[in-house]
Amino acid sequence: MHHPLDILLADEINTARDVILIQYPGKVIGFREIYLHEPPKAELKEFLALEHSGRLSPTSPRPARLARCLFDVFGSKNVPEIHEALVDVVLRKTVKDEKVGSKQHANLILPELDTLVEVCQASPMFRKVLSEINLPEGFEVVIEPWPYGSPDDTDDNRRYFQGLCFARDTRLRNPDSNFYAFPLPFIPVMDALKREIVRIDRPATGGKGDSLTGQTHRPDIISHCNSSEYVPELLTEGTRKDLKPLNILQPEGPSFRVTNQSLVEWQKWRFRVAFNPREGATIHDVWYDGRSVLFRLGMSEMTVPYADARPPYHRKQAFDFGDGGAGKCANNLGLGCDCLGVIKYFNGYLAERDGTAKKAPNVICLHEQDNGIGWKHTNWRTGRAVVTRSRELVVQFVITLANYEYIFAYKFDQAGGITVETRATGIVSVINIDPGKSSDYGNVVSSGALAQNHQHIFCVRIDPAIDGHENTVLIEESHPVKLNRVTNPQGNFYEVRKTPVERSSFFDANPSLNRVVRMVNTHKINPISGSPIGYKFTPLATQLLLADPDSTQARRAQFAQHHVWVTKYRDGELYAGGRYTLQSRKEVDGVSDAVKRGDPVKDDDVVVWSVFGITHNPRVEDWPVMPVEVFQLMIRPADFFCKNPAIDVPSNKNLTSELVSSDCCKQSHL
Amino acid sequence: MHHPLDILLADEINTARDVILIQYPGKVIGFREIYLHEPPKAELKEFLALEHSGRLSPTSPRPARLARCLFDVFGSKNVPEIHEALVDVVLRKTVKDEKVGSKQHANLILPELDTLVEVCQASPMFRKVLSEINLPEGFEVVIEPWPYGSPDDTDDNRRYFQGLCFARDTRLRNPDSNFYAFPLPFIPVMDALKREIVRIDRPATGGKGDSLTGQTHRPDIISHCNSSEYVPELLTEGTRKDLKPLNILQPEGPSFRVTNQSLVEWQKWRFRVAFNPREGATIHDVWYDGRSVLFRLGMSEMTVPYADARPPYHRKQAFDFGDGGAGKCANNLGLGCDCLGVIKYFNGYLAERDGTAKKAPNVICLHEQDNGIGWKHTNWRTGRAVVTRSRELVVQFVITLANYEYIFAYKFDQAGGITVETRATGIVSVINIDPGKSSDYGNVVSSGALAQNHQHIFCVRIDPAIDGHENTVLIEESHPVKLNRVTNPQGNFYEVRKTPVERSSFFDANPSLNRVVRMVNTHKINPISGSPIGYKFTPLATQLLLADPDSTQARRAQFAQHHVWVTKYRDGELYAGGRYTLQSRKEVDGVSDAVKRGDPVKDDDVVVWSVFGITHNPRVEDWPVMPVEVFQLMIRPADFFCKNPAIDVPSNKNLTSELVSSDCCKQSHL
């Protein structure tokens, strides 16, 4: 018997496939996704209450185990119908089957990207544009498939994909040589259903002062580009030799336990790890020391709009969770590469186009790490120092989206804190720029390669369960107070104001008021402070979406325009940018629509969405692979406990640490 | 022959003492500080240029090796004269000797704090107030010396210290039992020169609605307080038992080299580490791969103002660098406690009251650490992932100021980045509050103990030397642009504006414009991007000083009222809050005065000051010792290099990482 939050395993996915296939006899079915449909919260709450009370038995009521199936039904018409069905994999029957509206596009699957490459290669139109340029001997064209972004007003609503083009130096005889260093100014656009190239966009390659559309490039289009390798065997100067090994050893094994597929227990924390094709790793039913903290935590969406004003670059806007899916793009992690120490890997399961389950090995890693001093105090009277290390438990996954990588981590610490970390790395998106020019739209990071200015805006969805499901969001601010005889005679006082959020709404970060979001349970009062127990976070004050509100980039990414959204929980409302972002013209059923309902959220089942990101005006140092840019959203207990929960962490000396030997540090002559 | 940046060793300090003593025959001299007076920049630049060019010889000109000596000269008058002298410790002569203005107070030395305790204990006035309360049997009074803060307008300018009072339960027979849990509402004020208690302030112990001055406490003043221990042997439930060891082993030793006392070389970085009683560890002459980056980097100042409106709590305002000195309060670090792996410790040298050098062992630790993935890219066509770890070199020191601890770290990474990290920990400052009350001035963190709201505002001083000493500060902002046919037809464009700072001035963080500070050398153009080479940082958008501008708290901490200050370099101008902060009424010769000079700073020897901090409204979880609150100022190359400097970091697998064994992860029954 699976736990209701356990992901679907291979046999369950295959069952769902079979049920769907039986239902459509004679039809060609192309599956897009099959994964666990999380139970309605009402049912899950009931189950979890039984589980946590120890009263769960084999006869306890259990939520139905449902597979969410997204699939194309090919019929006589040119355009397949896209269906979203729920299949009960225990009862082997469909409980729901709905057509997806024809205005919306199902999120992409990787075979569609392969199709673009094939179609381009076979396209006479594509061959023709290539014939206009002179590629040096040994260079071959590489097509990098991208979502189409938002269609222009003049476009119909067909399913398109676009390709960014590059050239690869085959003379290196290395399939991993960096073709991004040789960008070509062609963007073939494919009609995915007709499987044909309908148009080849020819973006400008000019610089400051040049027109937005003028073709200025020379036929020897990449003769001014230079190779920019990152795989070690192609580095002309090799790798550095003076880095000595640093090993993390856990001779007694890890401090965590993983049981029953998904249940993680570590240092008073207890939670479940799941995985789905859209969000990647998700965290569920988070408890600390026998008390509930969160119902669910996940990366909800991100958008990456590019700021190059020249058409068609406005269509470079990825929704990396909604368009493709973080789970589908998750890396298979490697021991000793993506984390150190003693590692537990979790596998995911995806569906092939024919619906067959496909194991996605090692898509999540779980490990402990040291994060420096956790707390310390020295009594100066006695000289006695008590110092503890901060140990963290990290649930990590890494996704690759064409050129770019993101590393996501949920970090749990011993002081009751949860940190959601994102790291951006990979290869910045570059386009061809004429020799010797510079641009208002980005930075030249390699000769002939312009890295365009862009933003990455993330949304983390926090479904709190602060000692129960009826929670309230308080906005806490620290306000200056004018010096006055009555309340502030010396001018040093400042006022801390806490305001409950009454109805679903949005807020922005406000560092000048030290705005803090507290998620509290007003029914549970901290016996020490007399305040309601809670968790808090400070919204990260990063720049929001810059695109003009009237642009399609902005219309389809409403979520990226405020730092904090507060909504009332609804089953299935997981996606800040809406369920279907691919080729959207605007955000539909995203968090901004949820807020518009104006639901009462005080003392209710509330969901909090935290938006942050980076305006990324690339540096030359971001090339050819950028060093990680790190963001951390810190969710911390605030009067949830009756003392520092890490006060009982042992302060033992680590006995394997060593002094440097003298030979690394001898005197030499000046 | 010492390097001009090497700290003074014991014999040099003793030489300086001898020279001063000879100069004042028959006088009683009380030393406060003796440490290296860093050479004038003009001389040091000349020396460093010779050093880096390899042309340094024993006959090269060298800056004089000067000791800065701060000392009291006791004469017939009641008030000693305070002198600041410079002694050439090679020529054994005084080159300068000035009296410190009588309006200013020399920074405190630890014996003055001992004096307060002694004087209180002997004071009949103090005994009298204690007789008014009933301490339970076995409790003894503990006096915690503090700087006096800013004197009131009615105070004369005598040298005062104040004591916060607590009671310690001696029945535990443990000198490290936590007396802070038992606060007493008395604040004795001592005239330091007369060595007598002049007054005992009696702050209110009330809560919301009570008057700012009314005495409401009962004679059984701590009967409602509870013990709150943190030393492991006093924890009633002991320490947690399920944390398994995590060891960091470097079998081939560290990757760094420390030679000639202060020179650190690691992964293309080369810099010097120094130490002084005021700033603690400082970093000098920072180069990466043969190119100059910074001339000097240090923590300049911090202020900790408390927001309790009730007198005399407006005088709780510490300047932890200027009042006492981070170096004087630096912890002696322990192997396996404050950092893991292979550690190099640096010793400091301070001066005793009689001027004799005193070794301060292990005040700085140097070690490497792993910081997760450094960069990664997976070629999805081939499945080849190249992933490197980010190794950091950490220069760390920890200071204890009465109840509080700060951990400061300068972290160097392989991608040319420098991160200045501060961690706040230790015990929050608490005062007595009547049973059952809550307060507008803080949070009750333990029965009877109110942790007052306060701020910590830090200032980091960055003296750049971006490939030379003539540098320019550019303010870079990303501005939205209205959709328009000419420059922004699709509304996706945003404009990046860079504005040079012409004259010394201040700025605030502005996340809504993504304001970034770039320190560039306009004479050195990045050959790839065509932009001037530089380093950048994003000012941390944290709340600035909240106190009313007319309050003494604000007047003495002008530096804490803006996020970024840009000044023209002047020898000795190191302290954001001014040289003498102890008992100041306003900031004198701090960074705000430096800015007022209006110096031209473009293409000049410029200094950049970064201010950030935390508004700390304490949580119950901050008690009895608070988990670290971490802040990171990230200084990053921006077109300084021609590619990611970490691209040559090896991507070798770590061979000691292990999979979890199956017994940690078996299935068990639901």
Side-chain angles (χ1 to χ4, degrees):
Chain A
M1 283 212 287
H2 293 286
H3 188 279
L5 288 166
D6 286 347
I7 63 170
L8 295 188
L9 296 183
D11 59 333
E12 296 175 303
I13 289 174
N14 292 338
T15 298
R17 171 202 61 192
D18 294 345
V19 171
I20 295 293
L21 290 178
I22 289 167
Q23 198 180 319
Y24 291 92
K27 291 282 171 83
V28 176
I29 304 292
F31 286 90
R32 294 183 166 273
E33 290 172 351
I34 305 177
Y35 64 94
L36 179 74
H37 178 79
E38 292 171 25
K41 195 170 194 172
E43 293 177 31
L44 196 50
K45 269 161 66 175
E46 204 174 316
F47 179 89
L48 295 174
L50 283 174
E51 181 189 1
H52 288 290
S53 69
R55 289 182 289 116
L56 200 61
S57 80
T59 60
S60 299
R62 306 177 77 87
R65 191 142 172 88
L66 300 179
R68 177 181 175 273
C69 305
L70 190 70
F71 54 93
D72 303 331
V73 181
F74 293 92
S76 52
K77 280 184 286 179
N78 201 354
V79 181
E81 284 178 350
I82 299 176
H83 284 244
E84 194 175 340
L86 297 181
V87 172
D88 186 317
V89 295
V90 175
L91 302 179
R92 304 179 74 94
K93 66 167 195 186
T94 301
V95 298
K96 190 176 171 188
D97 186 345
E98 284 180 348
K99 269 189 259 182
V100 173
S102 63
K103 289 203 172 169
Q104 295 179 310
H105 286 278
N107 30 10
L108 66 85
I109 52 175
L110 303 182
E112 291 180 297
L113 305 183
D114 296 333
T115 302
L116 174 70
V117 176
E118 289 159 23
V119 169
C120 274
Q121 280 163 345
S123 159
M125 194 193 305
F126 189 59
R127 271 200 299 272
K128 182 166 175 300
V129 299
L130 288 183
S131 71
E132 296 170 18
I133 55 165
N134 304 327
L135 283 191
E137 202 186 315
F139 276 77
E140 67 172 23
V141 172
V142 177
I143 295 141
E144 178 91 332
W146 271 58
Y148 186 63
S150 185
D152 288 346
D153 292 344
T154 53
D155 281 332
D156 55 25
N157 197 35
R158 302 191 64 79
R159 189 174 181 90
Y160 293 121
F161 286 92
Q162 61 184 336
L164 305 188
C165 296
F166 302 89
R168 197 173 72 83
D169 186 351
T170 62
R171 297 167 304 177
L172 295 168
R173 301 180 181 280
N174 188 315
D176 293 299
S177 72
N178 182 10
F179 56 80
Y180 296 105
F182 303 99
L184 303 178
F186 306 123
I187 303 184
V189 175
M190 174 183 74
D191 181 319
L193 299 172
K194 292 188 184 162
R195 298 173 66 100
E196 64 182 37
I197 301 300
V198 295
R199 189 175 83 237
I200 296 178
D201 287 337
R202 317 222 12 198
T205 56
K208 284 183 183 165
D210 288 333
S211 96
L212 269 59
T213 52
Q215 303 290 317
T216 53
H217 65 81
R218 306 174 309 184
D220 55 339
I221 181 70
I222 54 169
S223 62
H224 63 303
C225 297
N226 294 327
S227 70
S228 308
E229 305 298 349
Y230 68 91
V231 294
E233 68 273 21
L234 291 177
L235 296 179
T236 42
E237 286 153 30
T239 54
R240 53 178 82 181
K241 303 288 176 256
D242 57 348
L243 185 67
K244 302 209 177 141
L246 185 150
N247 299 328
I248 296 182
L249 295 178
Q250 299 179 265
E252 298 175 23
S255 315
F256 58 76
R257 248 163 56 98
V258 181
T259 50
N260 296 304
Q261 187 175 323
S262 62
L263 181 63
V264 178
E265 290 166 288
W266 176 82
Q267 296 287 297
K268 302 184 189 175
W269 286 105
R270 174 200 157 108
F271 58 88
R272 288 186 187 268
V273 173
F275 176 83
N276 67 61
R278 170 114 181 197
E279 296 157 285
T282 53
I283 306 292
H284 303 261
D285 194 30
V286 181
W287 291 58
Y288 187 98
D289 206 12
R291 293 169 65 201
S292 168
V293 175
L294 301 179
F295 180 74
R296 192 182 194 279
L297 178 65
M299 292 303 308
S300 175
E301 189 54 275
M302 60 176 297
T303 188
V304 188
Y306 283 77
D308 193 324
R310 296 170 298 180
Y313 290 129
H314 58 292
R315 275 200 294 273
K316 280 180 81 172
Q317 180 186 26
F319 290 78
D320 291 321
F321 288 64
D323 286 358
K328 280 187 237 169
C329 301
N331 289 194
N332 308 115
L333 302 172
L335 189 63
C337 302
D338 301 288
C339 30
L340 304 181
V342 179
I343 318 296
K344 157 75 181 169
Y345 291 102
F346 293 88
N347 300 322
Y349 291 89
L350 301 169
E352 302 273 18
R353 190 72 168 136
D354 70 359
T356 306
K358 179 187 166 190
K359 183 169 165 179
N362 295 2
V363 284
I364 303 171
C365 62
L366 178 77
H367 73 285
E368 291 174 89
Q369 63 190 28
D370 177 85
N371 186 27
I373 293 174
W375 57 263
K376 179 172 188 176
H377 182 59
T378 301
N379 183 345
W380 59 267
R381 289 160 188 78
T382 63
R384 166 94 178 263
V386 181
V387 51
T388 64
R389 309 291 308 172
S390 174
R391 185 80 63 90
E392 293 177 327
L393 182 70
V394 183
V395 181
Q396 180 177 267
F397 67 108
V398 182
I399 65 175
T400 297
L401 301 133
N403 53 302
Y404 228 75
E405 261 75 17
Y406 300 96
I407 301 155
F408 296 103
Y410 303 102
K411 297 181 172 183
F412 297 83
D413 67 42
Q414 296 159 311
I418 303 171
T419 300
V420 181
E421 183 182 275
T422 69
R423 295 181 178 219
T425 178
I427 298 180
V428 289
S429 184
V430 293
I431 58 163
N432 196 296
I433 183 170
D434 303 337
K437 293 183 179 174
S438 63
S439 175
D440 290 331
Y441 306 130
N443 201 16
V444 177
V445 293
S446 180
S447 182
L450 179 72
Q452 293 163 307
N453 295 334
H454 59 283
Q455 298 186 281
H456 306 257
I457 303 183
F458 303 91
C459 180
V460 176
R461 181 179 178 279
I462 307 165
D463 185 348
I466 308 295
D467 248 355
H469 294 277
E470 275 67 57
N471 290 167
T472 297
V473 175
L474 304 177
I475 305 298
E476 177 184 307
E477 297 172 344
S478 297
H479 286 258
V481 176
K482 271 314 280 177
L483 192 151
N484 73 81
R485 275 195 204 179
V486 180
T487 68
N488 193 15
Q490 299 289 343
N492 62 312
F493 173 57
Y494 64 83
E495 186 191 351
V496 180
R497 294 186 201 160
K498 292 176 192 160
T499 313
V501 177
E502 302 278 348
R503 293 193 173 267
S504 59
S505 45
F506 56 79
F507 302 91
D508 290 332
N510 190 332
S512 68
L513 295 176
N514 197 45
R515 189 173 284 165
V516 172
V517 176
R518 293 174 83 112
M519 304 172 288
V520 305
N521 185 329
T522 55
H523 305 287
K524 306 275 173 73
I525 300 303
N526 185 299
I528 309 286
S529 68
S531 295
I533 61 163
Y535 263 69
K536 70 170 183 181
F537 67 91
T538 301
L540 298 180
T542 56
Q543 192 169 35
L544 292 164
L545 192 80
L546 278 163
D548 187 292
D550 290 332
S551 67
T552 51
Q553 279 193 356
R555 283 201 300 262
R556 45 198 316 241
Q558 300 290 335
F559 81 88
Q561 298 173 45
H562 293 290
H563 289 112
V564 183
W565 303 84
V566 179
T567 62
K568 178 165 170 158
Y569 176 87
R570 265 200 188 179
D571 283 334
E573 198 163 75
L574 296 171
Y575 311 126
R579 177 174 289 275
Y580 296 107
T581 62
L582 189 76
Q583 230 169 291
S584 66
R585 291 174 196 263
K586 62 175 186 176
E587 186 178 298
V588 175
D589 293 337
V591 70
S592 71
D593 290 315
V595 155
K596 283 185 197 124
R597 291 196 300 265
D599 295 328
V601 293
K602 196 173 151 185
D603 197 18
D604 211 317
D605 191 357
V606 69
V607 177
V608 182
W609 314 64
S610 168
V611 172
F612 56 90
I614 167 182
T615 297
H616 188 185
N617 305 334
R619 314 171 292 162
V620 176
E621 288 83 356
D622 292 333
W623 185 259
V625 183
M626 68 178 274
V628 288
E629 286 263 1
V630 185
F631 292 86
Q632 295 187 321
L633 176 69
M634 298 181 182
I635 306 169
R636 296 287 180 266
D639 291 8
F640 187 80
F641 297 104
C642 289
K643 62 183 172 197
N644 175 358
I647 207 71
D648 65 344
V649 171
S651 48
N652 306 344
K653 260 188 198 176
N654 176 280
L655 298 175
T656 64
S657 292
E658 290 179 62
L659 289 177
V660 285
S661 64
S662 58
D663 62 329
C664 97
C665 306
K666 39 187 174 200
Q667 290 296 109
S668 61
H669 279 289
L670 269 189
Chain B
M1 282 211 288
H2 293 286
H3 188 280
L5 288 165
D6 286 347
I7 63 171
L8 295 188
L9 297 183
D11 59 334
E12 296 175 302
I13 290 174
N14 291 338
T15 298
R17 172 203 60 195
D18 293 346
V19 170
I20 296 292
L21 290 178
I22 288 167
Q23 197 180 322
Y24 290 92
K27 291 282 170 86
V28 175
I29 304 292
F31 286 90
R32 293 183 167 272
E33 289 171 351
I34 304 177
Y35 65 94
L36 180 74
H37 177 79
E38 292 172 25
K41 197 170 194 173
E43 292 178 30
L44 195 50
K45 269 161 66 174
E46 201 175 321
F47 180 90
L48 295 175
L50 282 174
E51 181 187 2
H52 288 290
S53 69
R55 290 183 287 115
L56 201 61
S57 79
T59 60
S60 299
R62 307 177 76 87
R65 191 143 173 89
L66 301 179
R68 178 182 174 271
C69 304
L70 190 70
F71 54 93
D72 303 331
V73 180
F74 292 92
S76 52
K77 279 184 285 179
N78 202 353
V79 181
E81 283 177 352
I82 299 176
H83 285 244
E84 195 176 340
L86 297 181
V87 172
D88 186 317
V89 295
V90 175
L91 302 180
R92 305 180 75 95
K93 67 169 193 184
T94 301
V95 298
K96 191 175 168 187
D97 186 343
E98 284 180 349
K99 268 188 257 183
V100 173
S102 62
K103 287 200 171 170
Q104 296 179 308
H105 286 277
N107 30 9
L108 67 84
I109 51 175
L110 302 181
E112 290 180 297
L113 305 182
D114 296 333
T115 301
L116 174 71
V117 176
E118 289 160 23
V119 169
C120 273
Q121 280 164 345
S123 158
M125 195 193 306
F126 189 60
R127 271 200 297 273
K128 183 166 174 300
V129 298
L130 288 182
S131 71
E132 296 169 19
I133 55 165
N134 304 326
L135 284 190
E137 201 186 315
F139 278 76
E140 68 171 22
V141 173
V142 177
I143 295 141
E144 179 90 331
W146 272 57
Y148 186 63
S150 185
D152 289 346
D153 293 343
T154 52
D155 279 334
D156 54 26
N157 196 35
R158 300 192 65 81
R159 188 174 182 88
Y160 292 120
F161 286 92
Q162 62 183 337
L164 305 188
C165 295
F166 301 90
R168 196 172 73 83
D169 186 351
T170 64
R171 296 166 307 177
L172 296 168
R173 300 181 182 281
N174 188 316
D176 293 297
S177 71
N178 182 10
F179 55 81
Y180 296 105
F182 303 99
L184 304 178
F186 307 122
I187 302 184
V189 175
M190 173 183 75
D191 181 319
L193 299 172
K194 292 188 181 162
R195 299 173 64 100
E196 65 183 34
I197 301 301
V198 295
R199 188 174 85 236
I200 297 178
D201 287 337
R202 322 243 341 221
T205 57
K208 283 180 184 168
D210 288 334
S211 96
L212 270 58
T213 51
Q215 303 290 317
T216 53
H217 66 80
R218 307 173 310 185
D220 56 338
I221 182 69
I222 55 168
S223 63
H224 63 303
C225 297
N226 293 328
S227 70
S228 308
E229 303 299 348
Y230 67 92
V231 295
E233 69 272 23
L234 292 177
L235 297 179
T236 42
E237 286 153 30
T239 54
R240 53 178 80 182
K241 303 286 177 258
D242 57 349
L243 186 67
K244 302 209 176 141
L246 185 150
N247 298 329
I248 296 181
L249 295 179
Q250 299 179 264
E252 299 175 22
S255 314
F256 58 75
R257 250 164 55 97
V258 181
T259 50
N260 296 306
Q261 185 175 325
S262 63
L263 180 65
V264 178
E265 289 164 290
W266 176 83
Q267 296 288 294
K268 303 184 190 175
W269 285 106
R270 174 201 157 106
F271 58 86
R272 288 184 187 269
V273 173
F275 176 84
N276 67 62
R278 171 116 180 195
E279 295 158 284
T282 53
I283 307 292
H284 302 261
D285 194 30
V286 181
W287 292 56
Y288 187 97
D289 206 10
R291 293 168 65 202
S292 168
V293 175
L294 300 180
F295 181 73
R296 192 182 194 279
L297 179 64
M299 294 300 309
S300 175
E301 188 53 274
M302 60 176 296
T303 187
V304 188
Y306 282 77
D308 192 325
R310 298 169 296 180
Y313 289 129
H314 60 290
R315 273 199 296 271
K316 278 179 84 172
Q317 181 185 23
F319 290 77
D320 291 322
F321 287 65
D323 286 358
K328 280 185 235 169
C329 300
N331 288 195
N332 308 114
L333 302 172
L335 189 64
C337 302
D338 300 288
C339 31
L340 303 180
V342 179
I343 319 296
K344 157 76 183 171
Y345 291 102
F346 292 87
N347 299 322
Y349 291 90
L350 301 169
E352 301 273 18
R353 191 70 169 137
D354 69 1
T356 306
K358 178 187 167 190
K359 182 171 167 179
N362 294 4
V363 283
I364 303 171
C365 62
L366 178 77
H367 72 286
E368 288 174 90
Q369 64 190 28
D370 177 85
N371 187 26
I373 292 174
W375 57 263
K376 179 173 189 176
H377 181 59
T378 302
N379 183 346
W380 60 266
R381 289 159 187 78
T382 62
R384 166 93 178 266
V386 181
V387 50
T388 63
R389 309 290 308 170
S390 173
R391 186 79 63 88
E392 293 177 328
L393 181 70
V394 184
V395 180
Q396 178 176 269
F397 66 107
V398 183
I399 65 175
T400 297
L401 301 133
N403 52 303
Y404 228 74
E405 260 76 14
Y406 299 95
I407 301 156
F408 297 102
Y410 302 101
K411 296 179 171 184
F412 297 82
D413 67 42
Q414 295 159 310
I418 304 171
T419 300
V420 182
E421 182 182 277
T422 67
R423 296 183 176 218
T425 178
I427 299 179
V428 288
S429 184
V430 294
I431 57 164
N432 196 295
I433 182 168
D434 302 338
K437 292 183 180 174
S438 64
S439 174
D440 291 330
Y441 307 130
N443 202 17
V444 176
V445 293
S446 180
S447 182
L450 179 72
Q452 293 163 307
N453 295 334
H454 60 284
Q455 298 185 283
H456 306 258
I457 302 184
F458 302 92
C459 181
V460 177
R461 181 179 177 279
I462 306 166
D463 185 348
I466 308 295
D467 249 353
H469 294 277
E470 274 68 55
N471 291 166
T472 296
V473 174
L474 303 179
I475 305 299
E476 176 184 307
E477 297 173 343
S478 296
H479 286 258
V481 175
K482 270 318 275 178
L483 194 151
N484 73 82
R485 275 196 204 175
V486 180
T487 67
N488 194 16
Q490 300 289 343
N492 62 313
F493 172 58
Y494 63 83
E495 186 193 350
V496 180
R497 292 187 201 159
K498 291 176 192 160
T499 313
V501 178
E502 303 278 348
R503 294 194 171 267
S504 58
S505 45
F506 57 79
F507 302 91
D508 289 333
N510 189 332
S512 69
L513 295 176
N514 197 44
R515 189 172 285 165
V516 172
V517 177
R518 291 175 85 111
M519 303 173 287
V520 305
N521 185 329
T522 55
H523 306 286
K524 306 274 172 78
I525 300 303
N526 185 298
I528 309 288
S529 69
S531 296
I533 62 163
Y535 264 69
K536 68 171 183 180
F537 66 91
T538 301
L540 299 180
T542 55
Q543 192 168 35
L544 291 164
L545 192 82
L546 278 163
D548 187 291
D550 290 332
S551 66
T552 52
Q553 280 192 354
R555 283 201 300 261
R556 48 201 309 245
Q558 299 289 336
F559 81 88
Q561 298 174 46
H562 293 290
H563 289 112
V564 182
W565 303 84
V566 179
T567 61
K568 177 164 170 158
Y569 176 86
R570 267 201 187 177
D571 282 333
E573 198 163 75
L574 296 171
Y575 311 125
R579 178 174 287 275
Y580 295 106
T581 60
L582 188 76
Q583 230 168 294
S584 67
R585 291 174 196 261
K586 61 175 185 176
E587 186 178 298
V588 175
D589 293 336
V591 70
S592 71
D593 289 316
V595 155
K596 282 185 200 126
R597 291 196 300 264
D599 295 327
V601 292
K602 197 173 151 185
D603 196 18
D604 211 317
D605 191 357
V606 68
V607 177
V608 182
W609 315 64
S610 169
V611 172
F612 56 89
I614 168 182
T615 297
H616 189 184
N617 305 332
R619 315 169 292 163
V620 176
E621 288 84 353
D622 292 332
W623 185 257
V625 183
M626 67 177 276
V628 287
E629 287 263 2
V630 185
F631 292 85
Q632 295 187 322
L633 176 69
M634 297 180 182
I635 306 169
R636 294 289 180 266
D639 291 9
F640 187 79
F641 297 103
C642 289
K643 63 184 173 197
N644 175 356
I647 207 71
D648 65 343
V649 171
S651 48
N652 305 345
K653 260 187 199 178
N654 177 280
L655 298 175
T656 63
S657 292
E658 288 179 65
L659 290 176
V660 284
S661 63
S662 59
D663 62 328
C664 98
C665 305
K666 37 186 175 202
Q667 291 295 108
S668 61
H669 280 290
L670 270 188

